[in-house]
């Protein structure tokens, strides 16, 4: 005859085994579900970052094209006056003055074939040079055929202490001789102010740059000496992507080693690029943060299951 104590020990062993299996399955399910949900959440969050970068990039593209188109319209207007009448007509000065009241505009000016200042809407500050013959905005125009809009690198305005970008067109005589340039300056900080009004979370940067990597404007705005530019290798990489119809990429930042997610596009009418990379720490640390949150939940649930199982086993053991 089998003793009741042996039966009790067998039943207790079976119950203990059942509790262990159930506890293991619950803990395994918690971590499995945490990993699955965190992967879906990470995918959703990164997609949101990519869509945000794209949306910002397209808005900046459209805005930059409008700003430059407005500036070019004024350049052509000034160019026509000087080529036909040899000067800016007095009755046209109020139009230029009104244009210069816009927040993204610096100044309008005319320089002769020697690079000497002949006309300006805003007065030149004392101590500022009046000759631009050695600047890229003038020297590059000497190389171009008539009708080319040149977008120069950023430097400090002659009429203020603001950092500006010079846009220029040639002035030609009826015989086709080079007679100087007309210029419009655009404030370099316009993009930073524009970005502030977009209403997006500031987990990105924005670059408006030439194809040689020279940054014309960026947000957030940096000091002039820090606005060196983006490497030519980076711009060539972007142009290679765009030539294949690719407008976004994921890459490792050369300085921090962090993962960066970037959207880029090219202006339709002008040789400029718009780049919107995510900031270090926004896209690269996001997966780790989300995984930690879900694993913390799984760990807490597992501890609860373990303690509940031990308490239940102790209650059952007392009955046997």
């Amino acid at each position: 005859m089998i003793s009741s104590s042996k039966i009790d020990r067998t039943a207790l062993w079976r119950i203990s085994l059942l509790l262990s299996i159930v506890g293991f399955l619950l803990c395994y399910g918690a971590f499995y579900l945490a990993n699955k949900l965190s992967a879906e959440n990470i995918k959703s969050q990164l997609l949101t970052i990519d869509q945000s970068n794209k949306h910002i990039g397209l808005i900046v593209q459209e805005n930059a094209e409008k700003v430059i188109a407005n500036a070019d319209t004024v350049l052509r207007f000034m160019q026509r006056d000087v080529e036909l009448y040899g000067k800016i007509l007095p009755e046209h000065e109020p139009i230029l003055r009104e244009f210069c009241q816009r927040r993204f505009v610096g100044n309008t000016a005319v320089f002769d074939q020697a690079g000497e200042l002949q006309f300006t809407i805003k007065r030149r500050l004392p101590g500022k040079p009046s000759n631009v013959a050695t600047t890229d905005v003038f020297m590059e125009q000497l190389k171009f055929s008539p009708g080319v809009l040149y977008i120069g690198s950023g430097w400090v305005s002659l009429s203020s202490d603001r950092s500006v970008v010079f846009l220029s067109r040639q002035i030609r005589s009826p015989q086709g001789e080079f007679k100087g340039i007309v210029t419009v300056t655009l404030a370099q900080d316009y993009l930073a102010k524009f970005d502030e009004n977009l209403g997006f979370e500031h987990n990105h940067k924005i670059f408006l740059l030439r194809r040689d990597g020279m940054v014309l404007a960026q947000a957030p705005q940096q000091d002039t000496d820090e606005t060196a530019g983006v490497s030519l290798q980076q711009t060539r990489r972007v142009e290679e992507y765009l030539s294949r119809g690719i407008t976004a990429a994921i890459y490792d930042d050369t300085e921090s080693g962090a993962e960066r997610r970037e959207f880029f596009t090219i202006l339709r009418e002008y040789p400029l690029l718009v780049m919107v990379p995510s900031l270090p720490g926004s896209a690269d640390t996001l997966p780790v943060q989300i995984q930690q949150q879900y694993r913390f939940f799984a760990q807490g649930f597992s501890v609860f299951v373990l303690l509940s199982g031990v308490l239940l086993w102790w209650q059952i053991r007392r009955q046997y």
Side-chain angles (χ1 to χ4, degrees):
M1 183 175 179
I2 302 175
S3 66
S4 60
S5 62
K6 186 174 181 180
I7 295 176
D8 292 345
R9 285 196 298 271
T10 302
L12 181 62
W13 181 85
R14 289 177 177 176
I15 292 174
S16 300
L17 180 61
L18 179 62
L19 287 175
S20 300
I21 293 173
V22 171
F24 172 79
L25 291 176
L26 287 174
C27 292
Y28 176 82
F31 279 96
Y32 175 80
L33 186 61
N35 288 333
K36 183 178 180 180
L37 292 177
S38 65
E40 292 176 354
N41 196 346
I42 290 169
K43 184 178 179 180
S44 175
Q45 293 290 337
L46 293 179
L47 180 61
T48 300
I49 291 176
D50 291 340
Q51 290 176 338
S52 176
N53 288 350
K54 179 179 180 179
H55 190 49
I56 292 169
L58 293 177
I59 292 175
V60 171
Q61 176 195 30
E62 182 179 357
N63 177 264
E65 287 177 339
K66 289 181 178 179
V67 168
I68 296 174
N70 287 337
D72 194 26
T73 299
V74 172
L75 280 176
R76 293 176 184 274
F77 178 74
M78 296 168 63
Q79 179 189 40
R80 178 181 176 276
D81 258 15
V82 178
E83 289 184 344
L84 288 179
Y85 309 109
K87 63 177 182 179
I88 301 295
L89 295 179
E91 57 265 33
H92 290 164
E93 290 186 21
I95 299 175
L96 298 179
R97 192 168 289 108
E98 181 181 354
F99 175 72
C100 290
Q101 295 303 314
R102 301 183 183 185
R103 63 180 181 178
F104 59 84
V105 179
N107 194 14
T108 59
V110 179
F111 299 88
D112 63 19
Q113 63 267 37
E116 198 66 33
L117 179 65
Q118 299 298 312
F119 170 85
T120 178
I121 282 293
K122 295 183 179 179
R123 295 175 58 184
R124 179 174 57 89
L125 292 180
K128 295 281 186 175
S130 61
N131 192 292
V132 296
T134 58
T135 64
D136 69 319
V137 72
F138 187 87
M139 296 178 66
E140 290 297 322
Q141 282 290 6
L142 294 174
K143 305 175 185 178
F144 295 150
S145 58
V148 175
L149 170 68
Y150 178 70
I151 303 175
S153 57
W155 49 301
V156 179
S157 171
L158 302 179
S159 58
S160 70
D161 291 325
R162 298 176 72 186
S163 296
V164 295
V165 175
F166 272 76
L167 280 65
S168 68
R169 280 190 176 275
Q170 294 180 17
I171 303 169
R172 291 279 174 170
S173 69
Q175 293 75 31
E177 297 175 344
F178 178 78
K179 302 298 290 183
I181 62 172
V182 290
T183 66
V184 167
T185 59
L186 303 177
Q188 264 192 327
D189 63 356
Y190 104 87
L191 191 59
K193 294 179 179 179
F194 178 72
D195 183 44
E196 291 175 359
N197 296 325
L198 287 179
F200 289 93
E201 293 184 10
H202 289 86
N203 56 2
H204 60 267
K205 281 190 173 184
I206 306 175
F207 293 103
L208 177 65
L209 60 154
R210 299 189 317 201
R211 292 190 175 185
D212 61 0
M214 177 57 65
V215 174
L216 302 178
Q218 64 176 302
Q221 177 69 17
Q222 302 291 327
D223 294 335
T224 304
D225 57 352
E226 295 179 9
T227 314
V230 177
S231 71
L232 184 59
Q233 182 180 2
Q234 285 179 273
T235 58
R236 285 178 175 171
R237 170 179 57 82
V238 169
E239 288 192 343
E240 181 183 352
Y241 281 139
L242 289 172
S243 66
R244 301 192 323 227
I246 301 173
T247 59
I250 303 173
Y251 65 96
D252 292 331
D253 186 74
T254 54
E255 295 182 2
S256 63
E259 180 183 278
R260 304 286 289 273
R261 308 178 76 85
E262 181 178 69
F263 172 80
F264 33 78
T265 186
I266 189 169
L267 271 63
R268 292 181 289 268
E269 301 294 332
Y270 306 100
L272 301 177
L273 299 171
V274 174
M275 296 171 57
V276 186
S278 59
L279 290 175
S282 59
D284 58 313
T285 62
L286 183 64
V288 176
Q289 294 172 352
I290 293 177
Q291 287 174 350
Q292 288 178 341
Q293 292 173 358
Y294 278 91
R295 286 176 181 173
F296 179 76
F297 165 77
Q299 290 169 356
F301 179 78
S302 298
V303 170
F304 170 77
V305 169
L306 178 62
L307 293 178
S308 300
V310 170
L311 181 61
L312 180 61
W313 178 84
W314 178 256
Q315 292 293 334
I316 294 174
R317 184 176 182 278
R318 292 179 61 184
Q319 296 179 8
Y320 288 93

